[in-house]
Amino acid sequence: MDVDQLREYIRSFSLNECPLGNQGYNRILLQVFGFLGHGKSSLINSCKYALLDTEFKKHAEAAANDGGLTMERKTYPLTGTIIMVDNRGCAMINAFEMAEIYAQLCNFVPLEQRVEWNKNYEDMMFRVEDDDVDPNFTDFIVPIFVYSVRKEITAAEIEEIKPFLKNCRDLTGIFPIIVLTNKTSGDIAKLRNIFEGMGAEEILAVENYTDEDHFKTRGRHTLFLELIHKALKDVNFCMKDQRNPKKERAQRKKFLLKYVHERDKNQPPSQ
Ligand SMILES: Nc1nc2c(ncn2[C@@H]2O[C@H](COP(=O)(O)OP(=O)(O)OP(=O)(O)O)[C@@H](O)[C@H]2O)c(=O)[nH]1
Ligand SMILES: [Mg+2]
């Protein structure tokens, strides 16, 4: 598909037209995850730029350095149905931050709110209970994992990313789409291999549109539209099967509480 066809496909995508209808979902959340400063916000800006094709505008604030700029979970609508979510990045994946990442993935962290780390089991349980008051089970979640080619991936990171990707798959039914940013600034082939080795099915290498360089080309626009298109193909594939949004939410809740419980069991008691 060329740029115009991709754009048209994305703009006209409707959950109602999926093989078995919308099955109770009313929007698609493209949830963007990744470590601090790897280009999550810039990816969202790039997707908006490629889709809207007006002047380049920074919708999501991108950091001037590596500093953990995005602290809130913010939404950026691409169309009436498709929304990108800028999740809070983490400095180093550890059990505490990881639980929060899962809470964001599973949609138990309210959108447009600051994300706090370091919750204990009780905090997490209360959060989930609060969410039960007005549960959201109408979002179809597609995970996207961002990693910058500029950063040297470590063996420890690989050990942490691998189970995360698999859990994302189990929780959403979709293996996260990998987006390698800064593609001209490192060994892209090596990183691609590493992610393939972790089971990744779709890997896209991009050079995000940034304040410094937002020179638009057909190839660059196409890649961002292809990313959204791939996500929609995943949605379409999953929607061929009978799904139950309420049951899925219950499963995510069980996973989250079990995860936090296991984590706290392995922590030394606090002083
Ligand atoms: N050259 C180039 N710079 C990029 C690319 N992606 C991001 N950047 C730059 O890298 C810096 C960090 O990017 P952000 O988009 O803020 O990263 P983030 O993952 O949202 O960061 P946090 O919200 O802090 O976790 C910014 O200065 C961006 O302009 C890319 O693909 N190429
Ligand atoms: Mg950000």
Side-chain angles (χ1 to χ4, degrees), residues 2 7 13 19 23 45 48 54 58 62 72 95 113 119 138 153 157 181 191 205 240 255-256:
D2 67 19
R7 221 177 254 137
F13 190 91
Q23 300 198 54
N45 289 330
K48 285 209 81 141
T54 49
K58 272 206 307 192
E72 292 162 347
Q113 267 189 32
K119 301 281 177 183
T138 55
I153 195 163
E157 271 181 358
T181 60
L191 204 54
K240 285 187 182 138
F255 169 88
L256 195 60

Side-chain angles (χ1 to χ4, degrees), residues 146-188:
V146 171
Y147 200 95
S148 168
V149 174
R150 212 175 251 173
K151 318 275 172 163
E152 198 62 51
I153 195 163
T154 62
E157 271 181 358
I158 296 173
E159 285 313 303
E160 284 156 344
I161 295 170
K162 197 173 169 184
F164 172 67
L165 298 179
K166 187 172 170 294
N167 284 334
C168 281
R169 183 202 70 174
D170 295 349
L171 287 165
T172 65
I174 295 172
F175 201 99
I177 302 173
I178 310 296
V179 179
L180 304 178
T181 60
N182 286 280
K183 73 169 178 183
T184 57
S185 307
D187 190 344
I188 193 85

Side-chain angles (χ1 to χ4, degrees), residues 37 39-42 60-63 68-71 86-87 89:
K40 298 178 291 298
S41 301
S42 303
E61 194 55 43
L69 186 82
T70 308
M71 310 286 269
D86 200 356
N87 289 293

